[in-house]
Amino acid sequence: YTLNIQNIKDNSFLEGGQGQTFFEILENCNGWNIKEDYVLIYELPNDKIANSFSSYSTFENFLATKHSFELNEKSQFSGEKSYQGFIEKNKREISGSIINDNIKKLTFKKDVLFPIEHLLELIKTAKNGEKILTKKVFFGNEDEEFIKIVSAFIGQLRISKLKDIEYLNEKKIWPIKVAFYKDNSKQENPEYEIHIEIDDSGVVHSYKVDYGNFEIKALLKKFELLPKA
Protein backbone atom coordinates (compact mmCIF):
# COMPACT_ATOMS: atom_id res chain seq x y z
CA TYR A 1 0.00 0.00 0.00
CA THR A 2 1.09 3.57 -0.62
CA LEU A 3 0.41 5.94 2.27
CA ASN A 4 -0.43 9.64 2.09
CA ILE A 5 -1.24 12.05 4.91
CA GLN A 6 -4.28 14.17 4.07
CA ASN A 7 -7.04 16.37 5.58
CA ILE A 8 -4.61 18.00 8.01
CA LYS A 9 -6.39 20.21 10.54
CA ASP A 10 -5.09 23.59 11.72
CA ASN A 11 -4.24 22.20 15.16
CA SER A 12 -1.92 19.54 13.70
CA PHE A 13 1.87 19.85 13.75
CA LEU A 14 2.06 18.19 10.29
CA GLU A 15 2.25 19.71 6.84
CA GLY A 16 2.12 16.42 4.92
CA GLY A 17 3.71 13.03 4.59
CA GLN A 18 3.92 9.81 2.63
CA GLY A 19 5.14 6.26 2.93
CA GLN A 20 4.29 2.66 2.23
CA THR A 21 3.37 -0.51 4.06
CA PHE A 22 3.87 -4.17 3.20
CA PHE A 23 1.48 -6.77 4.60
CA GLU A 24 1.87 -10.56 4.30
CA ILE A 25 -0.38 -13.32 5.64
CA LEU A 26 0.60 -16.97 5.23
CA GLU A 27 -1.44 -20.00 6.21
CA ASN A 28 0.68 -22.84 7.58
CA CYS A 29 -0.19 -26.19 9.18
CA ASN A 30 -1.25 -24.75 12.53
CA GLY A 31 -2.36 -21.18 11.92
CA TRP A 32 -1.56 -17.81 10.41
CA ASN A 33 1.83 -16.11 10.13
CA ILE A 34 1.45 -12.36 9.61
CA LYS A 35 4.05 -9.68 8.94
CA GLU A 36 3.61 -5.96 8.46
CA ASP A 37 6.42 -3.50 7.67
CA TYR A 38 5.87 0.20 7.20
CA VAL A 39 7.78 3.41 6.72
CA LEU A 40 6.21 6.86 7.01
CA ILE A 41 7.95 10.19 6.37
CA TYR A 42 6.24 13.13 8.08
CA GLU A 43 6.62 16.63 6.63
CA LEU A 44 7.02 19.23 9.39
CA PRO A 45 7.19 23.04 9.40
CA ASN A 46 10.38 24.78 8.19
CA ASP A 47 11.09 22.03 5.64
CA LYS A 48 11.89 19.50 8.35
CA ILE A 49 10.97 15.80 8.20
CA ALA A 50 10.60 12.97 10.72
CA ASN A 51 10.78 9.27 9.92
CA SER A 52 8.93 6.35 11.43
CA PHE A 53 9.77 2.68 10.74
CA SER A 54 8.02 -0.41 12.06
CA SER A 55 8.21 -4.18 11.65
CA TYR A 56 5.49 -6.23 13.35
CA SER A 57 4.98 -9.99 13.09
CA THR A 58 2.49 -12.35 14.72
CA PHE A 59 1.36 -15.96 14.78
CA GLU A 60 -2.19 -17.03 15.63
CA ASN A 61 -3.34 -20.64 15.62
CA PHE A 62 -6.56 -21.77 13.92
CA LEU A 63 -8.28 -22.44 17.25
CA ALA A 64 -7.59 -18.85 18.36
CA THR A 65 -6.08 -20.13 21.60
CA LYS A 66 -2.42 -19.14 21.01
CA HIS A 67 -1.01 -15.85 19.82
CA SER A 68 2.60 -14.63 19.69
CA PHE A 69 3.90 -11.26 18.57
CA GLU A 70 7.10 -9.28 17.97
CA LEU A 71 7.50 -5.53 17.39
CA ASN A 72 10.55 -3.51 16.30
CA GLU A 73 9.88 0.19 15.89
CA LYS A 74 12.02 3.27 15.41
CA SER A 75 10.39 6.71 15.36
CA GLN A 76 11.76 10.23 15.59
CA PHE A 77 8.58 11.06 17.56
CA SER A 78 8.35 8.22 20.09
CA GLY A 79 11.87 6.75 20.03
CA GLU A 80 12.77 3.08 19.70
CA LYS A 81 10.63 0.17 20.86
CA SER A 82 11.46 -3.53 20.69
CA TYR A 83 9.74 -6.46 22.41
CA GLN A 84 8.16 -9.86 21.88
CA GLY A 85 5.55 -11.85 23.71
CA PHE A 86 2.88 -14.55 23.69
CA ILE A 87 -0.55 -15.13 25.18
CA GLU A 88 -2.71 -18.24 25.46
CA LYS A 89 -6.35 -18.89 26.30
CA ASN A 90 -7.17 -21.45 28.95
CA LYS A 91 -10.51 -22.37 30.54
CA ARG A 92 -10.61 -19.34 32.85
CA GLU A 93 -8.55 -16.51 31.34
CA ILE A 94 -5.93 -15.35 28.84
CA SER A 95 -2.38 -15.25 30.16
CA GLY A 96 1.15 -14.85 28.85
CA SER A 97 4.25 -12.68 28.95
CA ILE A 98 5.87 -9.73 27.21
CA ILE A 99 9.66 -9.70 26.98
CA ASN A 100 11.87 -6.64 26.48
CA ASP A 101 14.43 -5.53 29.06
CA ASN A 102 12.59 -7.73 31.54
CA ILE A 103 9.66 -10.15 31.57
CA LYS A 104 6.19 -8.89 32.40
CA LYS A 105 3.25 -11.19 33.00
CA LEU A 106 0.01 -10.53 31.10
CA THR A 107 -3.48 -11.56 32.24
CA PHE A 108 -6.82 -10.73 30.61
CA LYS A 109 -10.41 -11.84 30.87
CA LYS A 110 -11.52 -14.49 28.40
CA ASP A 111 -13.98 -12.20 26.56
CA VAL A 112 -11.12 -10.88 24.38
CA LEU A 113 -10.60 -11.89 20.73
CA PHE A 114 -7.29 -12.28 18.91
CA PRO A 115 -6.84 -10.23 15.68
CA ILE A 116 -7.51 -12.96 13.06
CA GLU A 117 -10.31 -14.36 15.22
CA HIS A 118 -11.86 -10.88 15.17
CA LEU A 119 -11.34 -10.49 11.40
CA LEU A 120 -13.12 -13.79 10.70
CA GLU A 121 -16.01 -12.84 12.97
CA LEU A 122 -16.26 -9.45 11.24
CA ILE A 123 -16.52 -11.10 7.80
CA LYS A 124 -19.07 -13.60 9.14
CA THR A 125 -21.13 -10.72 10.59
CA ALA A 126 -21.04 -8.88 7.25
CA LYS A 127 -22.05 -12.03 5.33
CA ASN A 128 -25.03 -12.49 7.67
CA GLY A 129 -26.25 -9.02 6.76
CA GLU A 130 -25.69 -7.62 10.26
CA LYS A 131 -24.55 -4.01 10.57
CA ILE A 132 -22.71 -3.69 13.90
CA LEU A 133 -20.08 -5.76 15.71
CA THR A 134 -18.49 -4.64 18.99
CA LYS A 135 -15.79 -6.76 20.64
CA LYS A 136 -12.73 -6.49 22.84
CA VAL A 137 -9.58 -7.30 20.83
CA PHE A 138 -5.94 -7.87 21.81
CA PHE A 139 -3.31 -5.95 19.83
CA GLY A 140 0.33 -6.73 20.58
CA ASN A 141 1.64 -3.64 18.77
CA GLU A 142 0.43 -1.29 21.54
CA ASP A 143 2.35 -2.31 24.66
CA GLU A 144 0.63 0.14 27.02
CA GLU A 145 -2.94 -0.52 25.87
CA PHE A 146 -3.11 -4.14 24.71
CA ILE A 147 -6.91 -4.34 24.79
CA LYS A 148 -9.14 -2.13 22.65
CA ILE A 149 -12.90 -2.02 22.37
CA VAL A 150 -13.48 -2.28 18.62
CA SER A 151 -16.83 -1.21 17.15
CA ALA A 152 -17.42 -1.95 13.47
CA PHE A 153 -20.22 -0.37 11.42
CA ILE A 154 -20.80 -2.34 8.21
CA GLY A 155 -22.05 -0.69 5.03
CA GLN A 156 -23.81 -2.13 1.98
CA LEU A 157 -21.98 -4.69 -0.17
CA ARG A 158 -20.82 -3.14 -3.45
CA ILE A 159 -18.34 -3.58 -6.31
CA SER A 160 -14.75 -2.58 -5.55
CA LYS A 161 -13.42 0.52 -7.30
CA LEU A 162 -10.01 -1.15 -7.59
CA LYS A 163 -9.20 -1.49 -11.31
CA ASP A 164 -5.43 -1.98 -11.58
CA ILE A 165 -5.19 -5.47 -10.01
CA GLU A 166 -6.85 -8.13 -12.16
CA TYR A 167 -7.42 -10.71 -9.41
CA LEU A 168 -9.37 -8.18 -7.33
CA ASN A 169 -11.14 -6.47 -10.23
CA GLU A 170 -14.96 -6.50 -9.88
CA LYS A 171 -14.69 -8.08 -6.41
CA LYS A 172 -17.47 -7.20 -3.99
CA ILE A 173 -16.43 -5.32 -0.85
CA TRP A 174 -18.01 -4.05 2.34
CA PRO A 175 -17.19 -0.48 3.39
CA ILE A 176 -16.69 -0.71 7.16
CA LYS A 177 -15.97 2.01 9.71
CA VAL A 178 -13.99 0.59 12.64
CA ALA A 179 -13.73 2.70 15.80
CA PHE A 180 -11.11 1.96 18.48
CA TYR A 181 -11.71 2.83 22.14
CA LYS A 182 -9.59 2.33 25.23
CA ASP A 183 -10.72 -0.58 27.36
CA ASN A 184 -12.96 0.56 30.25
CA SER A 185 -13.15 4.03 28.65
CA LYS A 186 -16.17 6.22 29.36
CA GLN A 187 -15.44 8.52 26.41
CA GLU A 188 -17.93 8.74 23.57
CA ASN A 189 -15.28 9.61 20.98
CA PRO A 190 -12.88 6.89 19.82
CA GLU A 191 -9.09 7.22 19.94
CA TYR A 192 -9.08 6.79 16.16
CA GLU A 193 -11.13 5.29 13.34
CA ILE A 194 -10.22 3.18 10.34
CA HIS A 195 -12.41 3.12 7.24
CA ILE A 196 -11.74 -0.09 5.31
CA GLU A 197 -12.98 -1.66 2.09
CA ILE A 198 -12.71 -5.42 2.56
CA ASP A 199 -13.79 -8.47 0.55
CA ASP A 200 -14.94 -11.88 1.77
CA SER A 201 -11.36 -13.24 1.64
CA GLY A 202 -10.20 -10.61 4.12
CA VAL A 203 -8.28 -8.57 1.53
CA VAL A 204 -8.44 -4.85 2.27
CA HIS A 205 -8.70 -2.97 -1.05
CA SER A 206 -8.07 0.44 0.58
CA TYR A 207 -8.21 2.00 4.02
CA LYS A 208 -8.08 5.37 5.74
CA VAL A 209 -6.95 5.97 9.32
CA ASP A 210 -8.59 9.02 10.91
CA TYR A 211 -6.69 10.39 13.92
CA GLY A 212 -8.89 13.48 14.24
CA ASN A 213 -6.37 16.16 13.29
CA PHE A 214 -5.09 14.30 10.23
CA GLU A 215 -5.76 11.16 8.15
CA ILE A 216 -3.57 8.53 6.52
CA LYS A 217 -4.96 7.20 3.24
CA ALA A 218 -3.71 3.80 2.04
CA LEU A 219 -4.15 2.55 -1.53
CA LEU A 220 -3.35 -0.98 -2.63
CA LYS A 221 -0.67 -0.86 -5.34
CA LYS A 222 0.60 -4.45 -5.54
CA PHE A 223 -1.08 -7.77 -4.76
CA GLU A 224 0.37 -11.29 -4.95
CA LEU A 225 -1.05 -14.70 -4.09
CA LEU A 226 1.49 -16.74 -2.13
CA PRO A 227 1.78 -20.55 -2.28
CA LYS A 228 0.32 -22.32 0.74
CA ALA A 229 3.00 -23.64 3.07
Side-chain angles (χ1 to χ4, degrees), residues 121-134 150-158 173-179:
E121 188 154 336
L122 181 61
I123 293 172
K124 180 182 176 182
T125 302
K127 283 182 174 180
N128 289 339
E130 299 171 49
K131 298 301 179 186
I132 298 175
L133 178 70
T134 299
V150 182
S151 291
F153 306 90
I154 303 165
Q156 291 292 330
L157 191 66
R158 60 172 173 78
I173 58 94
W174 291 279
I176 303 177
K177 182 175 78 170
V178 189

Side-chain angles (χ1 to χ4, degrees), residues 19-182:
Q20 62 182 22
T21 183
F22 165 84
F23 184 84
E24 177 183 275
I25 178 167
L26 276 172
E27 182 183 359
N28 65 27
C29 300
N30 302 312
W32 306 97
N33 285 316
I34 297 172
K35 184 176 182 182
E36 184 174 15
D37 296 327
Y38 87 77
V39 57
L40 196 56
I41 301 170
Y42 297 95
E43 297 171 2
L44 307 176
N46 302 318
D47 295 325
K48 293 183 178 181
I49 62 170
N51 298 322
S52 184
F53 308 91
S54 176
S55 180
Y56 181 57
S57 57
T58 68
F59 169 79
E60 184 176 325
N61 69 343
F62 291 134
L63 297 175
T65 57
K66 297 185 179 184
H67 181 75
S68 58
F69 52 96
E70 181 174 355
L71 177 74
N72 292 287
E73 189 173 83
K74 188 175 182 180
S75 170
Q76 288 176 289
F77 289 126
S78 56
E80 295 188 32
K81 191 183 292 185
S82 182
Y83 59 80
Q84 56 186 311
F86 70 92
I87 53 174
E88 188 170 357
K89 292 181 184 178
N90 57 40
K91 291 181 179 179
R92 299 184 308 278
E93 62 185 14
I94 300 172
S95 60
S97 297
I98 180 170
I99 306 160
N100 41 36
D101 296 332
N102 48 44
I103 299 176
K104 177 184 174 184
K105 295 292 183 183
L106 302 174
T107 305
F108 309 107
K109 293 179 181 178
K110 208 178 174 185
D111 61 345
V112 173
L113 302 184
F114 294 160
I116 294 296
E117 182 183 18
H118 176 253
L119 174 63
L120 294 173
E121 188 154 336
L122 181 61
I123 293 172
K124 180 182 176 182
T125 302
K127 283 182 174 180
N128 289 339
E130 299 171 49
K131 298 301 179 186
I132 298 175
L133 178 70
T134 299
K135 294 289 183 179
K136 290 185 178 182
V137 185
F138 174 90
F139 295 102
N141 60 341
E142 300 198 28
D143 61 331
E144 295 176 6
E145 294 279 350
F146 284 111
I147 307 298
K148 300 285 187 189
I149 299 172
V150 182
S151 291
F153 306 90
I154 303 165
Q156 291 292 330
L157 191 66
R158 60 172 173 78
I159 300 293
S160 174
K161 296 176 182 176
L162 205 61
K163 301 295 183 187
D164 299 335
I165 299 171
E166 186 177 350
Y167 180 81
L168 300 176
N169 195 13
E170 297 298 312
K171 271 264 195 179
K172 291 185 177 180
I173 58 94
W174 291 279
I176 303 177
K177 182 175 78 170
V178 189
F180 295 79
Y181 300 84
K182 288 184 178 180

Side-chain angles (χ1 to χ4, degrees), residues 207-218:
Y207 66 91
K208 179 180 70 177
V209 187
D210 184 354
Y211 289 105
N213 53 0
F214 69 94
E215 299 172 350
I216 298 177
K217 177 73 174 179

